[in-house]
Amino acid sequence: MTRAIVLVLDSFGIGATPDAAAFGDAGADTLGHIAEACATSSERGPLQLPNLGRLGLLHAHHESTGAWAAGVEPPATVTGAYGHAREISSGKDTPSGHWEIAGVPVRFEWGYFLEREHSFPTELLQALIREAELPGVLGDCHASGTEIIARLGEEHVRTGKPIVYTSADSVFQIAAHEESFGLARLYEVCEIARRLLEPYNIGRVIARPFAGEKAAGDGAASFTRTAGRRDYSVEPPAPTVLQKLHDDGGQVVAIGKIADIYAHCGISQTIKASGHDALFDATLAALDEAGDRSLIMTNFVDFDMVYGHRRDVAGYAAALEAFDARLPELLDKLEDDDLLILTADHGCDPTWTGTDHTREHIPVLASGAGLAPGSLGARASFADIGQSLARHLGLAPMDDGESFLPAR
């Protein structure tokens, strides 16, 4: 059977791209800086990624940066094909990265809300309040999601005003309490916001539900984000490899937030799961059921959402090691004709300043489908992945990208 499995380790960059300085990210290196922090820690010791290492991760990072990751011993034998890819899309956000992976780079400029305070146009907020019948909104600023619900969550519960905030990405985020505000109500408000934001060319509206209540004793509020996140993306500007496969009779299984990122275009089946173990379990189950000309695509969001943005180096390292430990379960299920690709959509260096993404090369680790182990070199675009998927799945070539698969 001809099948493809694409695992996106959300935010797992492997070194700054040549244009990183234009984004304020010269010197960023998600993998390298995590490895360095682990190697210099007296508490935990070097980063342990034996399975990703055998697939070529450390070699890809070395080719990207010119240096070996600190404290990590490269394997004697590499079993996969490995490379590093730069982004040609205009941003360093989730939709741009994923769309380019699927063969459709973003060549236009997204809209952004640049002001740190009072970030949103007054007329936009007034329209949202009016059309969604809200008592008002809180926030209206750049913020970390965990910080802003800790700061404004109690006022939100008391007033019923949702929390609206943004970041360096092209995004409008709305946080609300699952019980006092209601999850369905939050989604309804996000759908209204998605429509109102069309003139602003904003990539995503994100629903950020949370739970918890005011704690006893010191009076501190204790709120945590829940698994009900939902992304409302605009549609890709051209058919992605997912859409082309779906339209040609193949099956596209989207796990995690993949369907939301592609605005549900070209998706045959959507599987939601929360947490990396649940996402990995769902991927294994989908592979057991996948037939010929199937594409399974999974996004492992916690690398970005839980560890990268929160600048949690130790947590990111532990999550990488836990992911690595489960890889043999997947590798054991692969058939000779399957194509496995592990990659990322941007960087989010947890040692970097601020809380935003970082402009980095992404790893391209591939095995199966006749690929010989060894270097794929520097790839000029993430779209090389989409072009390779198109060749593997018997589709007409994409407009962008160069396949790294051998010609049939």
Short mmCIF file of all heavy atoms in Angstrom, two decimals, residues 224-281:
data_model
loop_
_atom_site.label_atom_id
_atom_site.label_comp_id
_atom_site.label_asym_id
_atom_site.label_seq_id
_atom_site.Cartn_x
_atom_site.Cartn_y
_atom_site.Cartn_z
N THR A 224 -6.64 27.15 34.63
CA THR A 224 -5.83 26.37 33.68
C THR A 224 -6.56 26.26 32.36
O THR A 224 -7.80 26.14 32.32
CB THR A 224 -5.55 24.95 34.21
OG1 THR A 224 -6.80 24.29 34.48
CG2 THR A 224 -4.71 24.99 35.47
N ARG A 225 -5.81 26.32 31.27
CA ARG A 225 -6.41 26.16 29.95
C ARG A 225 -6.81 24.71 29.74
O ARG A 225 -6.14 23.79 30.23
CB ARG A 225 -5.45 26.63 28.86
CG ARG A 225 -5.18 28.12 28.96
CD ARG A 225 -4.63 28.71 27.70
NE ARG A 225 -3.32 28.22 27.33
CZ ARG A 225 -2.51 28.88 26.50
NH1 ARG A 225 -2.87 30.03 25.98
NH2 ARG A 225 -1.34 28.37 26.19
N THR A 226 -7.87 24.49 29.02
CA THR A 226 -8.41 23.14 28.81
C THR A 226 -8.19 22.68 27.38
O THR A 226 -7.63 23.40 26.55
CB THR A 226 -9.92 23.12 29.12
OG1 THR A 226 -10.61 23.91 28.14
CG2 THR A 226 -10.21 23.69 30.51
N ALA A 227 -8.66 21.47 27.10
CA ALA A 227 -8.43 20.85 25.78
C ALA A 227 -9.42 21.32 24.72
O ALA A 227 -9.39 20.83 23.60
CB ALA A 227 -8.51 19.33 25.91
N GLY A 228 -10.28 22.27 25.04
CA GLY A 228 -11.30 22.70 24.08
C GLY A 228 -10.84 23.75 23.09
O GLY A 228 -11.68 24.33 22.40
N ARG A 229 -9.54 23.99 23.00
CA ARG A 229 -9.03 24.96 22.03
C ARG A 229 -9.56 24.64 20.63
O ARG A 229 -9.67 23.49 20.21
CB ARG A 229 -7.50 24.92 22.00
CG ARG A 229 -6.89 25.63 20.80
CD ARG A 229 -5.40 25.54 20.78
NE ARG A 229 -4.85 26.05 19.53
CZ ARG A 229 -3.60 26.47 19.38
NH1 ARG A 229 -2.77 26.46 20.40
NH2 ARG A 229 -3.18 26.92 18.21
N ARG A 230 -9.87 25.69 19.90
CA ARG A 230 -10.27 25.54 18.50
C ARG A 230 -9.70 26.69 17.70
O ARG A 230 -9.76 27.85 18.12
CB ARG A 230 -11.80 25.49 18.37
CG ARG A 230 -12.29 25.20 16.96
CD ARG A 230 -13.79 24.98 16.92
NE ARG A 230 -14.19 23.76 17.62
CZ ARG A 230 -15.45 23.35 17.74
NH1 ARG A 230 -16.44 24.08 17.23
NH2 ARG A 230 -15.73 22.22 18.38
N ASP A 231 -9.09 26.38 16.54
CA ASP A 231 -8.51 27.38 15.66
C ASP A 231 -9.44 27.62 14.48
O ASP A 231 -9.90 26.66 13.84
CB ASP A 231 -7.15 26.92 15.13
CG ASP A 231 -6.09 26.83 16.21
OD1 ASP A 231 -6.43 26.39 17.32
OD2 ASP A 231 -4.93 27.19 15.95
N TYR A 232 -9.68 28.89 14.18
CA TYR A 232 -10.50 29.27 13.03
C TYR A 232 -9.58 29.97 12.03
O TYR A 232 -9.30 31.16 12.14
CB TYR A 232 -11.64 30.19 13.46
CG TYR A 232 -12.60 29.54 14.44
CD1 TYR A 232 -12.31 29.49 15.79
CD2 TYR A 232 -13.80 28.98 13.99
CE1 TYR A 232 -13.19 28.88 16.68
CE2 TYR A 232 -14.68 28.37 14.88
CZ TYR A 232 -14.36 28.33 16.22
OH TYR A 232 -15.23 27.73 17.11
N SER A 233 -9.10 29.19 11.05
CA SER A 233 -8.15 29.71 10.07
C SER A 233 -8.86 30.11 8.79
O SER A 233 -9.95 29.59 8.47
CB SER A 233 -7.11 28.63 9.73
OG SER A 233 -6.33 28.29 10.85
N VAL A 234 -8.23 31.01 8.05
CA VAL A 234 -8.70 31.26 6.69
C VAL A 234 -8.27 30.08 5.83
O VAL A 234 -7.39 29.31 6.19
CB VAL A 234 -8.12 32.58 6.14
CG1 VAL A 234 -8.62 33.75 6.95
CG2 VAL A 234 -6.60 32.55 6.13
N GLU A 235 -8.88 29.95 4.67
CA GLU A 235 -8.54 28.83 3.79
C GLU A 235 -7.22 29.10 3.08
O GLU A 235 -6.88 30.25 2.78
CB GLU A 235 -9.65 28.62 2.76
CG GLU A 235 -10.96 28.16 3.36
CD GLU A 235 -11.99 27.80 2.30
OE1 GLU A 235 -11.65 27.88 1.09
OE2 GLU A 235 -13.12 27.45 2.67
N PRO A 236 -6.43 28.05 2.82
CA PRO A 236 -5.20 28.24 2.05
C PRO A 236 -5.49 28.88 0.70
O PRO A 236 -6.57 28.68 0.12
CB PRO A 236 -4.68 26.80 1.88
CG PRO A 236 -5.27 26.05 3.03
CD PRO A 236 -6.63 26.65 3.25
N PRO A 237 -4.54 29.65 0.16
CA PRO A 237 -4.79 30.39 -1.08
C PRO A 237 -4.81 29.52 -2.33
O PRO A 237 -5.18 30.01 -3.41
CB PRO A 237 -3.63 31.38 -1.13
CG PRO A 237 -2.54 30.72 -0.35
CD PRO A 237 -3.23 29.97 0.74
N ALA A 238 -4.41 28.26 -2.22
CA ALA A 238 -4.41 27.33 -3.36
C ALA A 238 -4.57 25.92 -2.80
O ALA A 238 -4.36 25.70 -1.60
CB ALA A 238 -3.13 27.46 -4.17
N PRO A 239 -4.95 24.97 -3.64
CA PRO A 239 -5.11 23.59 -3.14
C PRO A 239 -3.79 23.03 -2.60
O PRO A 239 -2.77 23.03 -3.29
CB PRO A 239 -5.58 22.82 -4.38
CG PRO A 239 -6.21 23.85 -5.25
CD PRO A 239 -5.39 25.08 -5.04
N THR A 240 -3.81 22.55 -1.38
CA THR A 240 -2.65 21.89 -0.79
C THR A 240 -2.59 20.45 -1.25
O THR A 240 -3.51 19.94 -1.90
CB THR A 240 -2.74 21.92 0.74
OG1 THR A 240 -3.87 21.12 1.15
CG2 THR A 240 -2.90 23.35 1.26
N VAL A 241 -1.52 19.76 -0.89
CA VAL A 241 -1.42 18.34 -1.24
C VAL A 241 -2.52 17.55 -0.55
O VAL A 241 -3.00 16.53 -1.08
CB VAL A 241 -0.02 17.80 -0.91
CG1 VAL A 241 0.21 17.70 0.59
CG2 VAL A 241 0.23 16.46 -1.58
N LEU A 242 -2.99 18.01 0.61
CA LEU A 242 -4.11 17.36 1.28
C LEU A 242 -5.36 17.45 0.42
O LEU A 242 -6.08 16.46 0.21
CB LEU A 242 -4.37 17.99 2.65
CG LEU A 242 -3.42 17.70 3.80
CD1 LEU A 242 -2.06 18.37 3.61
CD2 LEU A 242 -4.02 18.15 5.12
N GLN A 243 -5.64 18.67 -0.07
CA GLN A 243 -6.83 18.89 -0.89
C GLN A 243 -6.75 18.07 -2.18
O GLN A 243 -7.74 17.46 -2.62
CB GLN A 243 -6.96 20.37 -1.23
CG GLN A 243 -8.20 20.73 -2.03
CD GLN A 243 -9.45 20.77 -1.19
OE1 GLN A 243 -9.55 21.55 -0.26
NE2 GLN A 243 -10.42 19.91 -1.51
N LYS A 244 -5.57 18.03 -2.80
CA LYS A 244 -5.43 17.30 -4.06
C LYS A 244 -5.63 15.80 -3.86
O LYS A 244 -6.25 15.13 -4.69
CB LYS A 244 -4.07 17.60 -4.68
CG LYS A 244 -3.95 19.02 -5.22
CD LYS A 244 -2.67 19.21 -6.01
CE LYS A 244 -2.64 20.59 -6.67
NZ LYS A 244 -1.48 20.77 -7.56
N LEU A 245 -5.10 15.29 -2.77
CA LEU A 245 -5.29 13.86 -2.50
C LEU A 245 -6.75 13.55 -2.22
O LEU A 245 -7.30 12.58 -2.75
CB LEU A 245 -4.43 13.43 -1.31
CG LEU A 245 -4.57 11.97 -0.87
CD1 LEU A 245 -4.15 11.02 -1.98
CD2 LEU A 245 -3.75 11.70 0.40
N HIS A 246 -7.39 14.37 -1.41
CA HIS A 246 -8.81 14.18 -1.09
C HIS A 246 -9.65 14.21 -2.36
O HIS A 246 -10.52 13.36 -2.58
CB HIS A 246 -9.25 15.26 -0.11
CG HIS A 246 -10.69 15.20 0.27
ND1 HIS A 246 -11.68 15.86 -0.43
CD2 HIS A 246 -11.33 14.55 1.29
CE1 HIS A 246 -12.84 15.63 0.14
NE2 HIS A 246 -12.66 14.84 1.18
N ASP A 247 -9.39 15.20 -3.22
CA ASP A 247 -10.18 15.35 -4.44
C ASP A 247 -9.91 14.22 -5.43
O ASP A 247 -10.75 13.95 -6.31
CB ASP A 247 -9.87 16.70 -5.10
CG ASP A 247 -10.39 17.87 -4.29
OD1 ASP A 247 -11.15 17.65 -3.32
OD2 ASP A 247 -10.01 19.02 -4.62
N ASP A 248 -8.76 13.56 -5.30
CA ASP A 248 -8.40 12.47 -6.21
C ASP A 248 -8.79 11.11 -5.67
O ASP A 248 -8.36 10.07 -6.20
CB ASP A 248 -6.89 12.52 -6.48
CG ASP A 248 -6.49 11.73 -7.73
OD1 ASP A 248 -7.16 11.90 -8.78
OD2 ASP A 248 -5.53 10.95 -7.65
N GLY A 249 -9.57 11.11 -4.61
CA GLY A 249 -10.08 9.85 -4.08
C GLY A 249 -9.30 9.23 -2.95
O GLY A 249 -9.65 8.15 -2.47
N GLY A 250 -8.23 9.91 -2.51
CA GLY A 250 -7.48 9.40 -1.38
C GLY A 250 -8.10 9.81 -0.05
O GLY A 250 -9.09 10.55 -0.01
N GLN A 251 -7.50 9.34 1.04
CA GLN A 251 -7.99 9.63 2.38
C GLN A 251 -6.99 10.49 3.13
O GLN A 251 -5.79 10.19 3.13
CB GLN A 251 -8.23 8.33 3.15
CG GLN A 251 -9.37 7.49 2.60
CD GLN A 251 -10.71 8.17 2.81
OE1 GLN A 251 -11.07 8.56 3.92
NE2 GLN A 251 -11.48 8.29 1.74
N VAL A 252 -7.48 11.55 3.77
CA VAL A 252 -6.65 12.44 4.57
C VAL A 252 -7.17 12.41 6.00
O VAL A 252 -8.29 12.85 6.26
CB VAL A 252 -6.66 13.87 4.02
CG1 VAL A 252 -5.82 14.79 4.91
CG2 VAL A 252 -6.14 13.91 2.58
N VAL A 253 -6.36 11.89 6.90
CA VAL A 253 -6.74 11.79 8.31
C VAL A 253 -5.98 12.87 9.07
O VAL A 253 -4.74 12.85 9.12
CB VAL A 253 -6.41 10.40 8.88
CG1 VAL A 253 -6.85 10.31 10.35
CG2 VAL A 253 -7.10 9.31 8.05
N ALA A 254 -6.71 13.81 9.65
CA ALA A 254 -6.11 14.95 10.35
C ALA A 254 -6.26 14.73 11.85
O ALA A 254 -7.36 14.61 12.37
CB ALA A 254 -6.81 16.24 9.94
N ILE A 255 -5.13 14.70 12.56
CA ILE A 255 -5.12 14.41 13.99
C ILE A 255 -4.64 15.63 14.75
O ILE A 255 -3.65 16.26 14.37
CB ILE A 255 -4.25 13.18 14.29
CG1 ILE A 255 -4.78 11.96 13.52
CG2 ILE A 255 -4.22 12.88 15.79
CD1 ILE A 255 -3.94 10.70 13.67
N GLY A 256 -5.33 15.95 15.84
CA GLY A 256 -4.99 17.14 16.62
C GLY A 256 -5.58 18.37 15.96
O GLY A 256 -6.75 18.37 15.56
N LYS A 257 -4.78 19.42 15.83
CA LYS A 257 -5.32 20.68 15.29
C LYS A 257 -5.09 20.81 13.77
O LYS A 257 -5.32 21.89 13.22
CB LYS A 257 -4.71 21.87 16.02
CG LYS A 257 -3.22 22.12 15.80
CD LYS A 257 -2.80 23.42 16.49
CE LYS A 257 -1.37 23.80 16.14
NZ LYS A 257 -0.96 25.10 16.70
N ILE A 258 -4.70 19.74 13.12
CA ILE A 258 -4.41 19.79 11.68
C ILE A 258 -5.61 20.29 10.88
O ILE A 258 -5.48 21.17 10.01
CB ILE A 258 -3.94 18.42 11.16
CG1 ILE A 258 -2.56 18.08 11.70
CG2 ILE A 258 -3.95 18.38 9.63
CD1 ILE A 258 -1.44 18.97 11.20
N ALA A 259 -6.78 19.75 11.12
CA ALA A 259 -7.96 20.15 10.34
C ALA A 259 -8.24 21.64 10.49
O ALA A 259 -8.57 22.33 9.51
CB ALA A 259 -9.17 19.32 10.76
N ASP A 260 -8.11 22.17 11.70
CA ASP A 260 -8.34 23.59 11.92
C ASP A 260 -7.34 24.44 11.16
O ASP A 260 -7.69 25.48 10.58
CB ASP A 260 -8.23 23.92 13.41
CG ASP A 260 -9.38 23.36 14.24
OD1 ASP A 260 -10.39 22.93 13.64
OD2 ASP A 260 -9.28 23.36 15.48
N ILE A 261 -6.08 24.03 11.14
CA ILE A 261 -5.04 24.81 10.47
C ILE A 261 -5.32 24.94 8.98
O ILE A 261 -5.05 25.98 8.37
CB ILE A 261 -3.66 24.18 10.71
CG1 ILE A 261 -3.29 24.25 12.19
CG2 ILE A 261 -2.58 24.86 9.87
CD1 ILE A 261 -2.10 23.40 12.57
N TYR A 262 -5.84 23.88 8.38
CA TYR A 262 -6.15 23.91 6.94
C TYR A 262 -7.60 24.29 6.68
O TYR A 262 -8.10 24.10 5.56
CB TYR A 262 -5.83 22.55 6.32
CG TYR A 262 -4.36 22.23 6.29
CD1 TYR A 262 -3.79 21.39 7.24
CD2 TYR A 262 -3.52 22.79 5.33
CE1 TYR A 262 -2.43 21.11 7.24
CE2 TYR A 262 -2.16 22.51 5.31
CZ TYR A 262 -1.62 21.67 6.27
OH TYR A 262 -0.27 21.40 6.26
N ALA A 263 -8.28 24.87 7.70
CA ALA A 263 -9.67 25.31 7.57
C ALA A 263 -10.56 24.18 7.06
O ALA A 263 -11.53 24.41 6.33
CB ALA A 263 -9.78 26.54 6.66
N HIS A 264 -10.20 22.94 7.43
CA HIS A 264 -10.95 21.73 7.10
C HIS A 264 -11.03 21.49 5.59
O HIS A 264 -11.89 20.72 5.13
CB HIS A 264 -12.35 21.77 7.72
CG HIS A 264 -12.31 21.73 9.23
ND1 HIS A 264 -12.53 20.59 9.95
CD2 HIS A 264 -12.04 22.70 10.13
CE1 HIS A 264 -12.40 20.86 11.25
NE2 HIS A 264 -12.10 22.13 11.38
N CYS A 265 -10.14 22.10 4.82
CA CYS A 265 -10.11 21.88 3.37
C CYS A 265 -9.30 20.62 3.07
O CYS A 265 -8.13 20.52 3.46
CB CYS A 265 -9.47 23.07 2.67
SG CYS A 265 -10.39 24.61 2.82
N GLY A 266 -9.89 19.67 2.38
CA GLY A 266 -9.18 18.46 2.00
C GLY A 266 -9.05 17.44 3.10
O GLY A 266 -8.17 16.59 3.05
N ILE A 267 -9.92 17.48 4.09
CA ILE A 267 -9.85 16.57 5.23
C ILE A 267 -10.94 15.51 5.11
O ILE A 267 -12.12 15.84 4.99
CB ILE A 267 -9.99 17.32 6.56
CG1 ILE A 267 -8.98 18.46 6.65
CG2 ILE A 267 -9.86 16.36 7.73
CD1 ILE A 267 -7.54 18.05 6.58
N SER A 268 -10.56 14.24 5.16
CA SER A 268 -11.53 13.15 5.12
C SER A 268 -12.03 12.78 6.50
O SER A 268 -13.19 12.45 6.69
CB SER A 268 -10.91 11.91 4.47
OG SER A 268 -10.30 12.20 3.24
N GLN A 269 -11.14 12.83 7.49
CA GLN A 269 -11.48 12.44 8.85
C GLN A 269 -10.70 13.30 9.83
O GLN A 269 -9.50 13.50 9.68
CB GLN A 269 -11.16 10.96 9.09
CG GLN A 269 -11.52 10.46 10.49
CD GLN A 269 -11.13 9.00 10.70
OE1 GLN A 269 -10.53 8.37 9.84
NE2 GLN A 269 -11.47 8.47 11.86
N THR A 270 -11.40 13.81 10.83
CA THR A 270 -10.77 14.62 11.87
C THR A 270 -10.79 13.85 13.18
O THR A 270 -11.84 13.36 13.62
CB THR A 270 -11.52 15.96 12.05
OG1 THR A 270 -11.47 16.69 10.83
CG2 THR A 270 -10.89 16.79 13.16
N ILE A 271 -9.63 13.74 13.82
CA ILE A 271 -9.52 13.06 15.10
C ILE A 271 -8.91 14.05 16.10
O ILE A 271 -7.79 14.51 15.92
CB ILE A 271 -8.63 11.81 15.02
CG1 ILE A 271 -9.23 10.82 14.00
CG2 ILE A 271 -8.50 11.15 16.39
CD1 ILE A 271 -8.33 9.62 13.71
N LYS A 272 -9.66 14.39 17.13
CA LYS A 272 -9.18 15.30 18.16
C LYS A 272 -8.58 14.49 19.31
O LYS A 272 -9.10 13.43 19.67
CB LYS A 272 -10.32 16.18 18.67
CG LYS A 272 -10.83 17.19 17.65
CD LYS A 272 -9.80 18.26 17.36
CE LYS A 272 -10.35 19.36 16.46
NZ LYS A 272 -9.36 20.41 16.20
N ALA A 273 -7.53 15.00 19.87
CA ALA A 273 -6.91 14.39 21.04
C ALA A 273 -6.13 15.47 21.76
O ALA A 273 -5.69 16.45 21.16
CB ALA A 273 -5.99 13.23 20.63
N SER A 274 -5.94 15.29 23.07
CA SER A 274 -5.26 16.28 23.87
C SER A 274 -4.08 15.62 24.59
O SER A 274 -4.24 14.61 25.27
CB SER A 274 -6.21 16.89 24.90
OG SER A 274 -5.54 17.85 25.71
N GLY A 275 -2.90 16.19 24.42
CA GLY A 275 -1.70 15.64 25.03
C GLY A 275 -0.95 14.75 24.06
O GLY A 275 -1.55 14.08 23.20
N HIS A 276 0.36 14.73 24.16
CA HIS A 276 1.17 14.01 23.19
C HIS A 276 0.93 12.52 23.18
O HIS A 276 0.94 11.88 22.13
CB HIS A 276 2.65 14.32 23.42
CG HIS A 276 3.06 15.67 22.91
ND1 HIS A 276 4.36 16.13 22.96
CD2 HIS A 276 2.34 16.67 22.34
CE1 HIS A 276 4.42 17.34 22.43
NE2 HIS A 276 3.20 17.68 22.07
N ASP A 277 0.72 11.92 24.34
CA ASP A 277 0.46 10.48 24.36
C ASP A 277 -0.84 10.15 23.64
O ASP A 277 -0.90 9.18 22.86
CB ASP A 277 0.43 9.95 25.80
CG ASP A 277 1.82 9.70 26.36
OD1 ASP A 277 2.75 9.42 25.58
OD2 ASP A 277 1.99 9.79 27.59
N ALA A 278 -1.88 10.93 23.88
CA ALA A 278 -3.16 10.69 23.21
C ALA A 278 -3.03 10.91 21.71
O ALA A 278 -3.61 10.17 20.91
CB ALA A 278 -4.23 11.59 23.79
N LEU A 279 -2.27 11.92 21.30
CA LEU A 279 -2.04 12.16 19.88
C LEU A 279 -1.27 11.01 19.25
O LEU A 279 -1.56 10.59 18.12
CB LEU A 279 -1.30 13.48 19.69
CG LEU A 279 -2.10 14.75 19.97
CD1 LEU A 279 -1.17 15.93 20.19
CD2 LEU A 279 -3.08 15.03 18.83
N PHE A 280 -0.27 10.51 19.96
CA PHE A 280 0.51 9.38 19.43
C PHE A 280 -0.37 8.14 19.34
O PHE A 280 -0.33 7.40 18.33
CB PHE A 280 1.72 9.11 20.33
CG PHE A 280 2.91 8.61 19.58
CD1 PHE A 280 3.99 9.43 19.31
CD2 PHE A 280 2.96 7.30 19.11
CE1 PHE A 280 5.10 8.97 18.60
CE2 PHE A 280 4.06 6.83 18.41
CZ PHE A 280 5.13 7.66 18.16
N ASP A 281 -1.18 7.89 20.36
CA ASP A 281 -2.11 6.74 20.32
C ASP A 281 -3.05 6.85 19.13
O ASP A 281 -3.31 5.85 18.44
CB ASP A 281 -2.92 6.67 21.62
CG ASP A 281 -2.08 6.26 22.82
OD1 ASP A 281 -0.99 5.71 22.63
OD2 ASP A 281 -2.54 6.51 23.95
#
